[in-house]
PDB file of all heavy atoms in Angstrom:
ATOM      1  N   LEU E   1       0.825  -1.181   0.016  1.00  0.00           N
ATOM      2  CA  LEU E   1       0.012   0.026  -0.013  1.00  0.00           C
ATOM      3  C   LEU E   1       0.898   1.225  -0.012  1.00  0.00           C
ATOM      4  O   LEU E   1       2.049   1.251   0.527  1.00  0.00           O
ATOM      5  CB  LEU E   1      -0.913   0.063   1.197  1.00  0.00           C
ATOM      6  CG  LEU E   1      -2.350  -0.517   1.018  1.00  0.00           C
ATOM      7  CD1 LEU E   1      -2.323  -2.088   0.770  1.00  0.00           C
ATOM      8  CD2 LEU E   1      -3.240  -0.235   2.231  1.00  0.00           C
ATOM      9  N   PRO E   2       0.432   2.321  -0.572  1.00  0.00           N
ATOM     10  CA  PRO E   2       1.162   3.586  -0.595  1.00  0.00           C
ATOM     11  C   PRO E   2       1.475   4.072   0.850  1.00  0.00           C
ATOM     12  O   PRO E   2       0.720   3.841   1.693  1.00  0.00           O
ATOM     13  CB  PRO E   2       0.350   4.576  -1.416  1.00  0.00           C
ATOM     14  CG  PRO E   2      -1.017   3.997  -1.324  1.00  0.00           C
ATOM     15  CD  PRO E   2      -0.900   2.483  -1.274  1.00  0.00           C
ATOM     16  N   SER E   3       2.597   4.705   0.949  1.00  0.00           N
ATOM     17  CA  SER E   3       2.951   5.259   2.275  1.00  0.00           C
ATOM     18  C   SER E   3       1.852   6.232   2.777  1.00  0.00           C
ATOM     19  O   SER E   3       1.784   6.413   4.024  1.00  0.00           O
ATOM     20  CB  SER E   3       4.347   5.940   2.260  1.00  0.00           C
ATOM     21  OG  SER E   3       4.313   7.061   1.314  1.00  0.00           O
ATOM     22  N   SER E   4       1.193   6.873   1.875  1.00  0.00           N
ATOM     23  CA  SER E   4       0.115   7.773   2.329  1.00  0.00           C
ATOM     24  C   SER E   4      -0.896   7.114   3.151  1.00  0.00           C
ATOM     25  O   SER E   4      -1.527   7.743   4.053  1.00  0.00           O
ATOM     26  CB  SER E   4      -0.462   8.495   1.170  1.00  0.00           C
ATOM     27  OG  SER E   4      -1.064   7.537   0.262  1.00  0.00           O
ATOM     28  N   ALA E   5      -1.202   5.774   2.860  1.00  0.00           N
ATOM     29  CA  ALA E   5      -2.157   5.037   3.619  1.00  0.00           C
ATOM     30  C   ALA E   5      -1.675   4.851   5.125  1.00  0.00           C
ATOM     31  O   ALA E   5      -2.497   4.960   6.034  1.00  0.00           O
ATOM     32  CB  ALA E   5      -2.417   3.708   2.986  1.00  0.00           C
ATOM     33  N   ARG E   6      -0.377   4.577   5.269  1.00  0.00           N
ATOM     34  CA  ARG E   6       0.151   4.408   6.627  1.00  0.00           C
ATOM     35  C   ARG E   6       0.130   5.690   7.388  1.00  0.00           C
ATOM     36  O   ARG E   6      -0.181   5.744   8.554  1.00  0.00           O
ATOM     37  CB  ARG E   6       1.597   3.860   6.483  1.00  0.00           C
ATOM     38  CG  ARG E   6       1.689   2.458   5.876  1.00  0.00           C
ATOM     39  CD  ARG E   6       3.146   2.075   5.644  1.00  0.00           C
ATOM     40  NE  ARG E   6       3.242   0.755   5.113  1.00  0.00           N
ATOM     41  CZ  ARG E   6       3.192   0.374   3.805  1.00  0.00           C
ATOM     42  NH1 ARG E   6       2.919   1.367   2.923  1.00  0.00           N
ATOM     43  NH2 ARG E   6       3.326  -0.735   3.404  1.00  0.00           N
ATOM     44  N   VAL E   7       0.435   6.827   6.680  1.00  0.00           N
ATOM     45  CA  VAL E   7       0.463   8.056   7.329  1.00  0.00           C
ATOM     46  C   VAL E   7      -0.971   8.439   7.766  1.00  0.00           C
ATOM     47  O   VAL E   7      -1.217   8.955   8.894  1.00  0.00           O
ATOM     48  CB  VAL E   7       0.941   9.153   6.346  1.00  0.00           C
ATOM     49  CG1 VAL E   7       0.724  10.548   6.932  1.00  0.00           C
ATOM     50  CG2 VAL E   7       2.467   8.971   6.049  1.00  0.00           C
ATOM     51  N   PHE E   8      -1.979   8.128   6.936  1.00  0.00           N
ATOM     52  CA  PHE E   8      -3.384   8.371   7.250  1.00  0.00           C
ATOM     53  C   PHE E   8      -3.751   7.599   8.522  1.00  0.00           C
ATOM     54  O   PHE E   8      -4.359   8.152   9.415  1.00  0.00           O
ATOM     55  CB  PHE E   8      -4.292   7.959   6.050  1.00  0.00           C
ATOM     56  CG  PHE E   8      -5.773   7.944   6.444  1.00  0.00           C
ATOM     57  CD1 PHE E   8      -6.481   9.129   6.472  1.00  0.00           C
ATOM     58  CD2 PHE E   8      -6.391   6.787   6.672  1.00  0.00           C
ATOM     59  CE1 PHE E   8      -7.828   9.125   6.795  1.00  0.00           C
ATOM     60  CE2 PHE E   8      -7.762   6.769   7.021  1.00  0.00           C
ATOM     61  CZ  PHE E   8      -8.462   7.915   7.109  1.00  0.00           C
ATOM     62  N   LEU E   9      -3.411   6.293   8.554  1.00  0.00           N
ATOM     63  CA  LEU E   9      -3.767   5.504   9.718  1.00  0.00           C
ATOM     64  C   LEU E   9      -3.043   6.020  10.937  1.00  0.00           C
ATOM     65  O   LEU E   9      -3.669   6.057  12.031  1.00  0.00           O
ATOM     66  CB  LEU E   9      -3.365   4.027   9.502  1.00  0.00           C
ATOM     67  CG  LEU E   9      -3.733   3.065  10.641  1.00  0.00           C
ATOM     68  CD1 LEU E   9      -5.243   3.076  10.865  1.00  0.00           C
ATOM     69  CD2 LEU E   9      -3.202   1.633  10.254  1.00  0.00           C
ATOM     70  N   LEU E  10      -1.782   6.342  10.909  1.00  0.00           N
ATOM     71  CA  LEU E  10      -1.023   6.833  12.066  1.00  0.00           C
ATOM     72  C   LEU E  10      -1.607   8.132  12.586  1.00  0.00           C
ATOM     73  O   LEU E  10      -1.851   8.323  13.718  1.00  0.00           O
ATOM     74  CB  LEU E  10       0.432   7.015  11.726  1.00  0.00           C
ATOM     75  CG  LEU E  10       1.316   7.622  12.797  1.00  0.00           C
ATOM     76  CD1 LEU E  10       1.304   6.772  14.067  1.00  0.00           C
ATOM     77  CD2 LEU E  10       2.723   7.884  12.320  1.00  0.00           C
ATOM     78  N   SER E  11      -1.871   9.044  11.628  1.00  0.00           N
ATOM     79  CA  SER E  11      -2.438  10.382  12.008  1.00  0.00           C
ATOM     80  C   SER E  11      -3.865  10.213  12.659  1.00  0.00           C
ATOM     81  O   SER E  11      -4.122  10.849  13.670  1.00  0.00           O
ATOM     82  CB  SER E  11      -2.588  11.308  10.782  1.00  0.00           C
ATOM     83  OG  SER E  11      -1.299  11.474  10.141  1.00  0.00           O
ATOM     84  N   LEU E  12      -4.605   9.332  12.055  1.00  0.00           N
ATOM     85  CA  LEU E  12      -5.951   9.057  12.622  1.00  0.00           C
ATOM     86  C   LEU E  12      -5.834   8.451  14.030  1.00  0.00           C
ATOM     87  O   LEU E  12      -6.569   8.904  14.916  1.00  0.00           O
ATOM     88  CB  LEU E  12      -6.723   8.061  11.683  1.00  0.00           C
ATOM     89  CG  LEU E  12      -8.149   7.690  12.055  1.00  0.00           C
ATOM     90  CD1 LEU E  12      -8.920   7.282  10.856  1.00  0.00           C
ATOM     91  CD2 LEU E  12      -8.121   6.404  12.995  1.00  0.00           C
ATOM     92  N   ALA E  13      -4.946   7.494  14.211  1.00  0.00           N
ATOM     93  CA  ALA E  13      -4.788   6.944  15.541  1.00  0.00           C
ATOM     94  C   ALA E  13      -4.264   7.939  16.538  1.00  0.00           C
ATOM     95  O   ALA E  13      -4.661   7.845  17.658  1.00  0.00           O
ATOM     96  CB  ALA E  13      -3.883   5.715  15.428  1.00  0.00           C
ATOM     97  N   VAL E  14      -3.389   8.862  16.149  1.00  0.00           N
ATOM     98  CA  VAL E  14      -2.867   9.853  17.036  1.00  0.00           C
ATOM     99  C   VAL E  14      -3.946  10.774  17.541  1.00  0.00           C
ATOM    100  O   VAL E  14      -4.113  11.065  18.694  1.00  0.00           O
ATOM    101  CB  VAL E  14      -1.685  10.600  16.427  1.00  0.00           C
ATOM    102  CG1 VAL E  14      -1.303  11.850  17.237  1.00  0.00           C
ATOM    103  CG2 VAL E  14      -0.474   9.692  16.306  1.00  0.00           C
ATOM    104  N   VAL E  15      -4.770  11.243  16.541  1.00  0.00           N
ATOM    105  CA  VAL E  15      -5.906  12.145  16.900  1.00  0.00           C
ATOM    106  C   VAL E  15      -6.905  11.399  17.786  1.00  0.00           C
ATOM    107  O   VAL E  15      -7.463  11.936  18.729  1.00  0.00           O
ATOM    108  CB  VAL E  15      -6.563  12.680  15.606  1.00  0.00           C
ATOM    109  CG1 VAL E  15      -7.815  13.480  15.966  1.00  0.00           C
ATOM    110  CG2 VAL E  15      -5.542  13.506  14.838  1.00  0.00           C
ATOM    111  N   ASP E  16      -7.141  10.161  17.416  1.00  0.00           N
ATOM    112  CA  ASP E  16      -8.070   9.288  18.188  1.00  0.00           C
ATOM    113  C   ASP E  16      -7.595   9.121  19.600  1.00  0.00           C
ATOM    114  O   ASP E  16      -8.384   9.211  20.551  1.00  0.00           O
ATOM    115  CB  ASP E  16      -8.141   7.903  17.482  1.00  0.00           C
ATOM    116  CG  ASP E  16      -9.198   7.023  17.993  1.00  0.00           C
ATOM    117  OD1 ASP E  16      -9.124   6.579  19.157  1.00  0.00           O
ATOM    118  OD2 ASP E  16     -10.223   6.821  17.245  1.00  0.00           O
ATOM    119  N   ASP E  17      -6.283   8.946  19.843  1.00  0.00           N
ATOM    120  CA  ASP E  17      -5.721   8.812  21.172  1.00  0.00           C
ATOM    121  C   ASP E  17      -5.896  10.123  21.946  1.00  0.00           C
ATOM    122  O   ASP E  17      -6.213  10.091  23.185  1.00  0.00           O
ATOM    123  CB  ASP E  17      -4.237   8.477  21.135  1.00  0.00           C
ATOM    124  CG  ASP E  17      -4.036   6.965  21.060  1.00  0.00           C
ATOM    125  OD1 ASP E  17      -4.993   6.226  21.240  1.00  0.00           O
ATOM    126  OD2 ASP E  17      -2.881   6.576  20.831  1.00  0.00           O
ATOM    127  N   LEU E  18      -5.760  11.278  21.263  1.00  0.00           N
ATOM    128  CA  LEU E  18      -5.980  12.529  21.898  1.00  0.00           C
ATOM    129  C   LEU E  18      -7.376  12.636  22.397  1.00  0.00           C
ATOM    130  O   LEU E  18      -7.652  13.086  23.564  1.00  0.00           O
ATOM    131  CB  LEU E  18      -5.597  13.672  20.983  1.00  0.00           C
ATOM    132  CG  LEU E  18      -5.857  15.110  21.511  1.00  0.00           C
ATOM    133  CD1 LEU E  18      -4.963  15.338  22.785  1.00  0.00           C
ATOM    134  CD2 LEU E  18      -5.598  16.189  20.439  1.00  0.00           C
ATOM    135  N   GLY E  19      -8.373  12.280  21.558  1.00  0.00           N
ATOM    136  CA  GLY E  19      -9.765  12.299  21.978  1.00  0.00           C
ATOM    137  C   GLY E  19      -9.985  11.349  23.126  1.00  0.00           C
ATOM    138  O   GLY E  19     -10.743  11.734  24.061  1.00  0.00           O
ATOM    139  N   ALA E  20      -9.463  10.174  23.138  1.00  0.00           N
ATOM    140  CA  ALA E  20      -9.638   9.239  24.233  1.00  0.00           C
ATOM    141  C   ALA E  20      -9.073   9.768  25.481  1.00  0.00           C
ATOM    142  O   ALA E  20      -9.558   9.655  26.601  1.00  0.00           O
ATOM    143  CB  ALA E  20      -8.911   7.931  23.865  1.00  0.00           C
ATOM    144  N   ILE E  21      -7.900  10.537  25.376  1.00  0.00           N
ATOM    145  CA  ILE E  21      -7.261  11.132  26.563  1.00  0.00           C
ATOM    146  C   ILE E  21      -8.194  12.189  27.187  1.00  0.00           C
ATOM    147  O   ILE E  21      -8.360  12.239  28.432  1.00  0.00           O
ATOM    148  CB  ILE E  21      -5.925  11.781  26.110  1.00  0.00           C
ATOM    149  CG1 ILE E  21      -4.902  10.677  25.853  1.00  0.00           C
ATOM    150  CG2 ILE E  21      -5.384  12.652  27.245  1.00  0.00           C
ATOM    151  CD1 ILE E  21      -3.747  11.145  24.996  1.00  0.00           C
ATOM    152  N   VAL E  22      -8.826  12.974  26.329  1.00  0.00           N
ATOM    153  CA  VAL E  22      -9.802  14.002  26.857  1.00  0.00           C
ATOM    154  C   VAL E  22     -10.924  13.310  27.557  1.00  0.00           C
ATOM    155  O   VAL E  22     -11.337  13.725  28.633  1.00  0.00           O
ATOM    156  CB  VAL E  22     -10.245  14.842  25.642  1.00  0.00           C
ATOM    157  CG1 VAL E  22     -11.373  15.788  26.155  1.00  0.00           C
ATOM    158  CG2 VAL E  22      -9.116  15.655  25.042  1.00  0.00           C
ATOM    159  N   LEU E  23     -11.441  12.211  26.964  1.00  0.00           N
ATOM    160  CA  LEU E  23     -12.574  11.496  27.602  1.00  0.00           C
ATOM    161  C   LEU E  23     -12.118  10.955  28.934  1.00  0.00           C
ATOM    162  O   LEU E  23     -12.897  11.001  29.923  1.00  0.00           O
ATOM    163  CB  LEU E  23     -12.990  10.354  26.709  1.00  0.00           C
ATOM    164  CG  LEU E  23     -13.834  10.751  25.450  1.00  0.00           C
ATOM    165  CD1 LEU E  23     -14.182   9.524  24.668  1.00  0.00           C
ATOM    166  CD2 LEU E  23     -15.059  11.520  25.840  1.00  0.00           C
ATOM    167  N   ILE E  24     -10.937  10.398  29.061  1.00  0.00           N
ATOM    168  CA  ILE E  24     -10.427   9.827  30.280  1.00  0.00           C
ATOM    169  C   ILE E  24     -10.352  10.942  31.347  1.00  0.00           C
ATOM    170  O   ILE E  24     -10.779  10.787  32.544  1.00  0.00           O
ATOM    171  CB  ILE E  24      -9.057   9.181  30.098  1.00  0.00           C
ATOM    172  CG1 ILE E  24      -9.174   7.883  29.255  1.00  0.00           C
ATOM    173  CG2 ILE E  24      -8.329   8.919  31.472  1.00  0.00           C
ATOM    174  CD1 ILE E  24      -7.848   7.254  28.902  1.00  0.00           C
ATOM    175  N   ALA E  25      -9.868  12.100  30.942  1.00  0.00           N
ATOM    176  CA  ALA E  25      -9.717  13.224  31.878  1.00  0.00           C
ATOM    177  C   ALA E  25     -11.082  13.686  32.330  1.00  0.00           C
ATOM    178  O   ALA E  25     -11.260  14.030  33.555  1.00  0.00           O
ATOM    179  CB  ALA E  25      -8.972  14.335  31.237  1.00  0.00           C
ATOM    180  N   VAL E  26     -12.120  13.770  31.426  1.00  0.00           N
ATOM    181  CA  VAL E  26     -13.348  14.322  31.777  1.00  0.00           C
ATOM    182  C   VAL E  26     -14.213  13.304  32.536  1.00  0.00           C
ATOM    183  O   VAL E  26     -14.904  13.627  33.550  1.00  0.00           O
ATOM    184  CB  VAL E  26     -14.095  14.801  30.534  1.00  0.00           C
ATOM    185  CG1 VAL E  26     -15.558  15.158  30.790  1.00  0.00           C
ATOM    186  CG2 VAL E  26     -13.409  15.916  29.864  1.00  0.00           C
ATOM    187  N   LEU E  27     -14.285  12.053  32.079  1.00  0.00           N
ATOM    188  CA  LEU E  27     -15.200  10.990  32.613  1.00  0.00           C
ATOM    189  C   LEU E  27     -14.702  10.341  33.846  1.00  0.00           C
ATOM    190  O   LEU E  27     -15.482   9.925  34.728  1.00  0.00           O
ATOM    191  CB  LEU E  27     -15.491  10.018  31.528  1.00  0.00           C
ATOM    192  CG  LEU E  27     -16.310  10.458  30.280  1.00  0.00           C
ATOM    193  CD1 LEU E  27     -16.405   9.280  29.379  1.00  0.00           C
ATOM    194  CD2 LEU E  27     -17.624  10.979  30.685  1.00  0.00           C
ATOM    195  N   PHE E  28     -13.365  10.207  34.030  1.00  0.00           N
ATOM    196  CA  PHE E  28     -12.832   9.368  35.088  1.00  0.00           C
ATOM    197  C   PHE E  28     -12.028  10.106  36.108  1.00  0.00           C
ATOM    198  O   PHE E  28     -11.022   9.567  36.637  1.00  0.00           O
ATOM    199  CB  PHE E  28     -12.117   8.204  34.434  1.00  0.00           C
ATOM    200  CG  PHE E  28     -12.967   7.434  33.396  1.00  0.00           C
ATOM    201  CD1 PHE E  28     -12.527   7.497  32.077  1.00  0.00           C
ATOM    202  CD2 PHE E  28     -14.022   6.721  33.821  1.00  0.00           C
ATOM    203  CE1 PHE E  28     -13.401   6.785  31.145  1.00  0.00           C
ATOM    204  CE2 PHE E  28     -14.799   6.026  32.897  1.00  0.00           C
ATOM    205  CZ  PHE E  28     -14.477   6.055  31.555  1.00  0.00           C
ATOM    206  N   THR E  29     -12.343  11.368  36.237  1.00  0.00           N
ATOM    207  CA  THR E  29     -11.719  12.105  37.348  1.00  0.00           C
ATOM    208  C   THR E  29     -12.452  11.911  38.642  1.00  0.00           C
ATOM    209  O   THR E  29     -13.677  12.123  38.639  1.00  0.00           O
ATOM    210  CB  THR E  29     -11.600  13.604  36.995  1.00  0.00           C
ATOM    211  OG1 THR E  29     -10.857  13.814  35.850  1.00  0.00           O
ATOM    212  CG2 THR E  29     -11.060  14.400  38.160  1.00  0.00           C
ATOM    213  N   THR E  30     -11.866  11.348  39.650  1.00  0.00           N
ATOM    214  CA  THR E  30     -12.526  11.031  40.916  1.00  0.00           C
ATOM    215  C   THR E  30     -12.140  12.103  41.896  1.00  0.00           C
ATOM    216  O   THR E  30     -11.012  12.078  42.456  1.00  0.00           O
ATOM    217  CB  THR E  30     -12.093   9.667  41.359  1.00  0.00           C
ATOM    218  OG1 THR E  30     -10.664   9.658  41.520  1.00  0.00           O
ATOM    219  CG2 THR E  30     -12.555   8.577  40.441  1.00  0.00           C
ATOM    220  N   GLY E  31     -13.055  12.985  42.229  1.00  0.00           N
ATOM    221  CA  GLY E  31     -12.681  14.102  43.190  1.00  0.00           C
ATOM    222  C   GLY E  31     -11.683  14.988  42.520  1.00  0.00           C
ATOM    223  O   GLY E  31     -11.395  14.928  41.345  1.00  0.00           O
ATOM    224  N   PHE E  32     -11.215  15.959  43.285  1.00  0.00           N
ATOM    225  CA  PHE E  32     -10.254  16.896  42.758  1.00  0.00           C
ATOM    226  C   PHE E  32      -9.496  17.588  43.908  1.00  0.00           C
ATOM    227  O   PHE E  32     -10.098  18.205  44.722  1.00  0.00           O
ATOM    228  CB  PHE E  32     -10.876  17.925  41.825  1.00  0.00           C
ATOM    229  CG  PHE E  32      -9.941  18.704  41.005  1.00  0.00           C
ATOM    230  CD1 PHE E  32      -9.362  18.109  39.862  1.00  0.00           C
ATOM    231  CD2 PHE E  32      -9.545  20.048  41.274  1.00  0.00           C
ATOM    232  CE1 PHE E  32      -8.427  18.780  39.068  1.00  0.00           C
ATOM    233  CE2 PHE E  32      -8.715  20.733  40.485  1.00  0.00           C
ATOM    234  CZ  PHE E  32      -8.166  20.107  39.432  1.00  0.00           C
ATOM    235  N   ASN E  33      -8.152  17.380  43.842  1.00  0.00           N
ATOM    236  CA  ASN E  33      -7.292  17.874  44.863  1.00  0.00           C
ATOM    237  C   ASN E  33      -6.697  19.198  44.438  1.00  0.00           C
ATOM    238  O   ASN E  33      -5.777  19.110  43.481  1.00  0.00           O
ATOM    239  CB  ASN E  33      -6.257  16.869  45.290  1.00  0.00           C
ATOM    240  CG  ASN E  33      -5.418  17.299  46.440  1.00  0.00           C
ATOM    241  OD1 ASN E  33      -4.988  18.461  46.577  1.00  0.00           O
ATOM    242  ND2 ASN E  33      -5.159  16.391  47.380  1.00  0.00           N
ATOM    243  N   LEU E  34      -7.089  20.372  44.862  1.00  0.00           N
ATOM    244  CA  LEU E  34      -6.635  21.658  44.338  1.00  0.00           C
ATOM    245  C   LEU E  34      -5.146  21.816  44.584  1.00  0.00           C
ATOM    246  O   LEU E  34      -4.412  22.433  43.777  1.00  0.00           O
ATOM    247  CB  LEU E  34      -7.450  22.816  44.937  1.00  0.00           C
ATOM    248  CG  LEU E  34      -8.819  22.928  44.398  1.00  0.00           C
ATOM    249  CD1 LEU E  34      -9.624  24.084  45.227  1.00  0.00           C
ATOM    250  CD2 LEU E  34      -8.773  23.352  42.951  1.00  0.00           C
ATOM    251  N   VAL E  35      -4.649  21.395  45.727  1.00  0.00           N
ATOM    252  CA  VAL E  35      -3.248  21.587  46.080  1.00  0.00           C
ATOM    253  C   VAL E  35      -2.359  20.810  45.117  1.00  0.00           C
ATOM    254  O   VAL E  35      -1.420  21.307  44.560  1.00  0.00           O
ATOM    255  CB  VAL E  35      -2.937  21.171  47.531  1.00  0.00           C
ATOM    256  CG1 VAL E  35      -1.432  21.255  47.804  1.00  0.00           C
ATOM    257  CG2 VAL E  35      -3.676  22.091  48.512  1.00  0.00           C
ATOM    258  N   ALA E  36      -2.757  19.565  44.887  1.00  0.00           N
ATOM    259  CA  ALA E  36      -1.988  18.671  43.929  1.00  0.00           C
ATOM    260  C   ALA E  36      -2.081  19.229  42.561  1.00  0.00           C
ATOM    261  O   ALA E  36      -1.089  19.194  41.790  1.00  0.00           O
ATOM    262  CB  ALA E  36      -2.533  17.252  43.933  1.00  0.00           C
ATOM    263  N   ALA E  37      -3.217  19.804  42.164  1.00  0.00           N
ATOM    264  CA  ALA E  37      -3.420  20.361  40.832  1.00  0.00           C
ATOM    265  C   ALA E  37      -2.473  21.657  40.702  1.00  0.00           C
ATOM    266  O   ALA E  37      -1.853  21.753  39.642  1.00  0.00           O
ATOM    267  CB  ALA E  37      -4.833  20.769  40.671  1.00  0.00           C
ATOM    268  N   ALA E  38      -2.363  22.382  41.748  1.00  0.00           N
ATOM    269  CA  ALA E  38      -1.476  23.562  41.717  1.00  0.00           C
ATOM    270  C   ALA E  38      -0.003  23.181  41.529  1.00  0.00           C
ATOM    271  O   ALA E  38       0.782  23.764  40.728  1.00  0.00           O
ATOM    272  CB  ALA E  38      -1.661  24.343  42.947  1.00  0.00           C
ATOM    273  N   VAL E  39       0.369  22.113  42.291  1.00  0.00           N
ATOM    274  CA  VAL E  39       1.761  21.546  42.091  1.00  0.00           C
ATOM    275  C   VAL E  39       1.961  21.114  40.705  1.00  0.00           C
ATOM    276  O   VAL E  39       3.037  21.319  40.120  1.00  0.00           O
ATOM    277  CB  VAL E  39       1.996  20.402  43.143  1.00  0.00           C
ATOM    278  CG1 VAL E  39       3.349  19.774  42.871  1.00  0.00           C
ATOM    279  CG2 VAL E  39       1.924  20.940  44.533  1.00  0.00           C
ATOM    280  N   ALA E  40       1.018  20.398  40.135  1.00  0.00           N
ATOM    281  CA  ALA E  40       1.158  19.903  38.798  1.00  0.00           C
ATOM    282  C   ALA E  40       1.304  21.020  37.807  1.00  0.00           C
ATOM    283  O   ALA E  40       2.148  20.997  36.890  1.00  0.00           O
ATOM    284  CB  ALA E  40      -0.059  18.999  38.434  1.00  0.00           C
ATOM    285  N   VAL E  41       0.504  22.074  37.937  1.00  0.00           N
ATOM    286  CA  VAL E  41       0.577  23.225  37.008  1.00  0.00           C
ATOM    287  C   VAL E  41       1.935  23.908  37.104  1.00  0.00           C
ATOM    288  O   VAL E  41       2.540  24.232  36.051  1.00  0.00           O
ATOM    289  CB  VAL E  41      -0.548  24.204  37.340  1.00  0.00           C
ATOM    290  CG1 VAL E  41      -0.320  25.503  36.567  1.00  0.00           C
ATOM    291  CG2 VAL E  41      -1.879  23.638  36.950  1.00  0.00           C
ATOM    292  N   VAL E  42       2.430  24.115  38.336  1.00  0.00           N
ATOM    293  CA  VAL E  42       3.712  24.716  38.523  1.00  0.00           C
ATOM    294  C   VAL E  42       4.843  23.855  37.934  1.00  0.00           C
ATOM    295  O   VAL E  42       5.723  24.376  37.233  1.00  0.00           O
ATOM    296  CB  VAL E  42       4.011  25.056  40.040  1.00  0.00           C
ATOM    297  CG1 VAL E  42       5.437  25.488  40.278  1.00  0.00           C
ATOM    298  CG2 VAL E  42       3.015  26.058  40.587  1.00  0.00           C
TER     299      VAL E  42
END
């Protein structure tokens, strides 16, 4: 298959993973520790 097919699949999977990451962050956050969040941001 042309290399463009592989690039399409890789790009699709990368964007797909980003969407899944957003879902994980939104749906599966249990509680929220503001102090820990501040440390993470810093």
Side-chain angles (χ1 to χ4, degrees):
L1 264 68
S3 60
S4 58
R6 297 175 177 82
V7 172
F8 170 79
L9 180 62
L10 175 62
S11 302
L12 182 150
V14 168
V15 175
D16 193 288
D17 273 352
L18 178 61
I21 289 161
V22 172
L23 287 179
I24 290 171
V26 172
L27 295 178
F28 306 112
T29 295
T30 56
F32 195 72
N33 186 317
L34 284 174
V35 175
V39 173
V41 169
V42 171

